[in-house]
């Protein structure tokens, strides 16, 4: 199981593209790569999950922690490019009600 994480800091927006699977094996790498960015004041972070085929509860935990950290630093957080399967995972857990989620990449990556 592999994961690829591409981070670009463009203007005032941190854009993160994730490829692969987010699970107990790969979530620590994801957390270690993007969590320090969440501690900047007023960060505007967009994470593109278009090429993520699978995510388990460990991945959800990473995004909940990231969301909390960004909000505590007066930032904005958005997930874009979710497949129907990933969107459903966020809906079932109730996270879709608190995290800004888009099925396509609208308002996110160009």
């Amino acid at each position: 199981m592999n994961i690829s994480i591409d981070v670009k800091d463009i203007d005032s927006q941190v854009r993160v593209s994730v490829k692969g699977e987010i699970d107990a094996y790969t979530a620590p790498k994801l957390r270690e790569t993007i969590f320090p960015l969440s501690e900047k004041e007023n960060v505007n972070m967009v994470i593109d999950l278009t090429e993520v085929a699978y995510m388990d509860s460990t991945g959800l935990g990473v995004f909940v922690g990231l969301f909390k950290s960004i909000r505590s630093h007066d930032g904005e957080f958005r997930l874009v490019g979710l497949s129907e399967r990933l969107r459903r995972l966020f809906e079932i857990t109730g996270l879709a009600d608190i995290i800004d989620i888009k099925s396509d990449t609208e308002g996110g990556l160009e």
Side-chain angles (χ1 to χ4, degrees):
M1 319 239 176
N2 289 322
I3 191 169
S4 170
I5 306 158
D6 181 45
V7 178
K8 292 183 176 140
D9 200 341
I10 301 171
D11 297 324
S12 61
Q13 188 177 72
V14 175
R15 301 176 182 187
V16 181
S17 295
V18 183
K19 298 176 186 174
E21 297 183 354
I22 304 172
D23 56 22
Y25 179 73
T26 60
K29 180 179 179 184
L30 179 62
R31 181 186 328 266
E32 155 187 317
T33 303
I34 60 178
F35 202 85
L37 303 171
S38 73
E39 297 176 326
K40 293 180 182 177
E41 287 298 317
N42 302 310
V43 70
N44 179 358
M45 185 179 292
V46 177
I47 300 182
D48 185 358
L49 300 177
T50 302
E51 296 190 50
V52 172
Y54 173 81
M55 180 168 50
D56 67 10
S57 61
T58 314
L60 287 174
V62 170
F63 291 119
V64 169
L66 197 59
F67 172 77
K68 287 180 178 180
S69 177
I70 289 172
R71 293 301 288 264
S72 73
H73 292 92
D74 297 319
E76 295 181 35
F77 178 63
R78 182 179 316 112
L79 296 174
V80 298
L82 278 73
S83 66
E84 192 58 40
R85 184 177 186 172
L86 289 184
R87 180 181 261 295
R88 180 131 171 80
L89 183 61
F90 279 89
E91 287 172 355
I92 289 170
T93 58
L95 293 172
D97 295 333
I98 60 168
I99 296 176
D100 187 5
I101 296 174
K102 307 284 186 220
S103 292
D104 57 19
T105 55
E106 74 181 62
L109 304 172
E110 295 172 355

PDB file of all heavy atoms in Angstrom, residues 66-79:
ATOM      1  N   LEU A  66      -6.757  17.343  11.490  1.00  0.00           N
ATOM      2  CA  LEU A  66      -6.339  18.440  10.623  1.00  0.00           C
ATOM      3  C   LEU A  66      -7.375  19.561  10.647  1.00  0.00           C
ATOM      4  O   LEU A  66      -7.027  20.735  10.796  1.00  0.00           O
ATOM      5  CB  LEU A  66      -6.179  17.894   9.203  1.00  0.00           C
ATOM      6  CG  LEU A  66      -5.406  18.693   8.198  1.00  0.00           C
ATOM      7  CD1 LEU A  66      -3.975  18.929   8.675  1.00  0.00           C
ATOM      8  CD2 LEU A  66      -5.394  17.960   6.874  1.00  0.00           C
ATOM      9  N   PHE A  67      -8.633  19.197  10.526  1.00  0.00           N
ATOM     10  CA  PHE A  67      -9.730  20.160  10.565  1.00  0.00           C
ATOM     11  C   PHE A  67      -9.703  20.949  11.874  1.00  0.00           C
ATOM     12  O   PHE A  67      -9.772  22.179  11.873  1.00  0.00           O
ATOM     13  CB  PHE A  67     -11.063  19.425  10.403  1.00  0.00           C
ATOM     14  CG  PHE A  67     -12.271  20.277  10.625  1.00  0.00           C
ATOM     15  CD1 PHE A  67     -12.704  21.157   9.647  1.00  0.00           C
ATOM     16  CD2 PHE A  67     -12.982  20.201  11.803  1.00  0.00           C
ATOM     17  CE1 PHE A  67     -13.831  21.953   9.839  1.00  0.00           C
ATOM     18  CE2 PHE A  67     -14.101  20.979  12.017  1.00  0.00           C
ATOM     19  CZ  PHE A  67     -14.532  21.863  11.033  1.00  0.00           C
ATOM     20  N   LYS A  68      -9.568  20.253  12.995  1.00  0.00           N
ATOM     21  CA  LYS A  68      -9.550  20.916  14.305  1.00  0.00           C
ATOM     22  C   LYS A  68      -8.362  21.865  14.428  1.00  0.00           C
ATOM     23  O   LYS A  68      -8.486  22.976  14.950  1.00  0.00           O
ATOM     24  CB  LYS A  68      -9.509  19.883  15.430  1.00  0.00           C
ATOM     25  CG  LYS A  68     -10.812  19.158  15.623  1.00  0.00           C
ATOM     26  CD  LYS A  68     -10.685  18.154  16.758  1.00  0.00           C
ATOM     27  CE  LYS A  68     -11.994  17.449  17.013  1.00  0.00           C
ATOM     28  NZ  LYS A  68     -11.860  16.474  18.114  1.00  0.00           N
ATOM     29  N   SER A  69      -7.198  21.425  13.967  1.00  0.00           N
ATOM     30  CA  SER A  69      -5.995  22.251  14.061  1.00  0.00           C
ATOM     31  C   SER A  69      -6.128  23.513  13.211  1.00  0.00           C
ATOM     32  O   SER A  69      -5.809  24.613  13.667  1.00  0.00           O
ATOM     33  CB  SER A  69      -4.769  21.444  13.621  1.00  0.00           C
ATOM     34  OG  SER A  69      -3.618  22.256  13.638  1.00  0.00           O
ATOM     35  N   ILE A  70      -6.614  23.355  11.991  1.00  0.00           N
ATOM     36  CA  ILE A  70      -6.760  24.506  11.097  1.00  0.00           C
ATOM     37  C   ILE A  70      -7.779  25.489  11.655  1.00  0.00           C
ATOM     38  O   ILE A  70      -7.544  26.703  11.668  1.00  0.00           O
ATOM     39  CB  ILE A  70      -7.145  24.036   9.677  1.00  0.00           C
ATOM     40  CG1 ILE A  70      -5.938  23.340   9.031  1.00  0.00           C
ATOM     41  CG2 ILE A  70      -7.613  25.208   8.815  1.00  0.00           C
ATOM     42  CD1 ILE A  70      -6.224  22.666   7.716  1.00  0.00           C
ATOM     43  N   ARG A  71      -8.894  24.995  12.141  1.00  0.00           N
ATOM     44  CA  ARG A  71      -9.924  25.878  12.696  1.00  0.00           C
ATOM     45  C   ARG A  71      -9.423  26.608  13.942  1.00  0.00           C
ATOM     46  O   ARG A  71      -9.759  27.758  14.155  1.00  0.00           O
ATOM     47  CB  ARG A  71     -11.188  25.080  13.025  1.00  0.00           C
ATOM     48  CG  ARG A  71     -11.906  24.525  11.815  1.00  0.00           C
ATOM     49  CD  ARG A  71     -12.354  25.593  10.829  1.00  0.00           C
ATOM     50  NE  ARG A  71     -13.447  26.376  11.312  1.00  0.00           N
ATOM     51  CZ  ARG A  71     -14.714  26.169  11.054  1.00  0.00           C
ATOM     52  NH1 ARG A  71     -15.057  25.187  10.253  1.00  0.00           N
ATOM     53  NH2 ARG A  71     -15.635  26.935  11.563  1.00  0.00           N
ATOM     54  N   SER A  72      -8.610  25.941  14.749  1.00  0.00           N
ATOM     55  CA  SER A  72      -8.095  26.589  15.956  1.00  0.00           C
ATOM     56  C   SER A  72      -7.086  27.692  15.633  1.00  0.00           C
ATOM     57  O   SER A  72      -6.774  28.517  16.479  1.00  0.00           O
ATOM     58  CB  SER A  72      -7.473  25.558  16.906  1.00  0.00           C
ATOM     59  OG  SER A  72      -6.240  25.094  16.398  1.00  0.00           O
ATOM     60  N   HIS A  73      -6.578  27.689  14.404  1.00  0.00           N
ATOM     61  CA  HIS A  73      -5.643  28.725  13.956  1.00  0.00           C
ATOM     62  C   HIS A  73      -6.325  29.666  12.960  1.00  0.00           C
ATOM     63  O   HIS A  73      -5.657  30.296  12.130  1.00  0.00           O
ATOM     64  CB  HIS A  73      -4.401  28.086  13.331  1.00  0.00           C
ATOM     65  CG  HIS A  73      -3.543  27.363  14.321  1.00  0.00           C
ATOM     66  ND1 HIS A  73      -3.679  26.024  14.585  1.00  0.00           N
ATOM     67  CD2 HIS A  73      -2.558  27.804  15.142  1.00  0.00           C
ATOM     68  CE1 HIS A  73      -2.811  25.667  15.513  1.00  0.00           C
ATOM     69  NE2 HIS A  73      -2.114  26.726  15.874  1.00  0.00           N
ATOM     70  N   ASP A  74      -7.655  29.738  13.033  1.00  0.00           N
ATOM     71  CA  ASP A  74      -8.454  30.636  12.187  1.00  0.00           C
ATOM     72  C   ASP A  74      -8.248  30.411  10.691  1.00  0.00           C
ATOM     73  O   ASP A  74      -8.292  31.354   9.897  1.00  0.00           O
ATOM     74  CB  ASP A  74      -8.165  32.111  12.525  1.00  0.00           C
ATOM     75  CG  ASP A  74      -8.564  32.445  13.947  1.00  0.00           C
ATOM     76  OD1 ASP A  74      -9.630  31.965  14.380  1.00  0.00           O
ATOM     77  OD2 ASP A  74      -7.806  33.165  14.629  1.00  0.00           O
ATOM     78  N   GLY A  75      -8.060  29.157  10.313  1.00  0.00           N
ATOM     79  CA  GLY A  75      -7.873  28.838   8.901  1.00  0.00           C
ATOM     80  C   GLY A  75      -9.106  28.218   8.278  1.00  0.00           C
ATOM     81  O   GLY A  75     -10.140  28.052   8.931  1.00  0.00           O
ATOM     82  N   GLU A  76      -8.978  27.891   7.006  1.00  0.00           N
ATOM     83  CA  GLU A  76     -10.051  27.246   6.260  1.00  0.00           C
ATOM     84  C   GLU A  76      -9.554  25.915   5.730  1.00  0.00           C
ATOM     85  O   GLU A  76      -8.385  25.780   5.361  1.00  0.00           O
ATOM     86  CB  GLU A  76     -10.495  28.125   5.093  1.00  0.00           C
ATOM     87  CG  GLU A  76     -11.131  29.427   5.531  1.00  0.00           C
ATOM     88  CD  GLU A  76     -11.568  30.258   4.347  1.00  0.00           C
ATOM     89  OE1 GLU A  76     -12.003  29.684   3.332  1.00  0.00           O
ATOM     90  OE2 GLU A  76     -11.467  31.491   4.441  1.00  0.00           O
ATOM     91  N   PHE A  77     -10.476  24.947   5.663  1.00  0.00           N
ATOM     92  CA  PHE A  77     -10.124  23.582   5.256  1.00  0.00           C
ATOM     93  C   PHE A  77     -11.207  23.042   4.338  1.00  0.00           C
ATOM     94  O   PHE A  77     -12.389  23.172   4.632  1.00  0.00           O
ATOM     95  CB  PHE A  77     -10.000  22.706   6.513  1.00  0.00           C
ATOM     96  CG  PHE A  77      -9.688  21.268   6.239  1.00  0.00           C
ATOM     97  CD1 PHE A  77      -8.505  20.904   5.632  1.00  0.00           C
ATOM     98  CD2 PHE A  77     -10.583  20.287   6.603  1.00  0.00           C
ATOM     99  CE1 PHE A  77      -8.219  19.569   5.390  1.00  0.00           C
ATOM    100  CE2 PHE A  77     -10.301  18.943   6.375  1.00  0.00           C
ATOM    101  CZ  PHE A  77      -9.110  18.592   5.769  1.00  0.00           C
ATOM    102  N   ARG A  78     -10.785  22.464   3.215  1.00  0.00           N
ATOM    103  CA  ARG A  78     -11.740  21.920   2.256  1.00  0.00           C
ATOM    104  C   ARG A  78     -11.179  20.636   1.646  1.00  0.00           C
ATOM    105  O   ARG A  78      -9.993  20.559   1.342  1.00  0.00           O
ATOM    106  CB  ARG A  78     -11.972  22.961   1.156  1.00  0.00           C
ATOM    107  CG  ARG A  78     -12.981  22.576   0.113  1.00  0.00           C
ATOM    108  CD  ARG A  78     -13.172  23.679  -0.947  1.00  0.00           C
ATOM    109  NE  ARG A  78     -13.261  25.010  -0.365  1.00  0.00           N
ATOM    110  CZ  ARG A  78     -12.334  25.956  -0.516  1.00  0.00           C
ATOM    111  NH1 ARG A  78     -11.252  25.744  -1.217  1.00  0.00           N
ATOM    112  NH2 ARG A  78     -12.499  27.139   0.046  1.00  0.00           N
ATOM    113  N   LEU A  79     -12.047  19.649   1.480  1.00  0.00           N
ATOM    114  CA  LEU A  79     -11.700  18.424   0.771  1.00  0.00           C
ATOM    115  C   LEU A  79     -12.416  18.450  -0.569  1.00  0.00           C
ATOM    116  O   LEU A  79     -13.615  18.752  -0.628  1.00  0.00           O
ATOM    117  CB  LEU A  79     -12.156  17.193   1.558  1.00  0.00           C
ATOM    118  CG  LEU A  79     -11.502  16.960   2.917  1.00  0.00           C
ATOM    119  CD1 LEU A  79     -12.166  15.792   3.630  1.00  0.00           C
ATOM    120  CD2 LEU A  79     -10.012  16.701   2.761  1.00  0.00           C
TER     121      LEU A  79
END
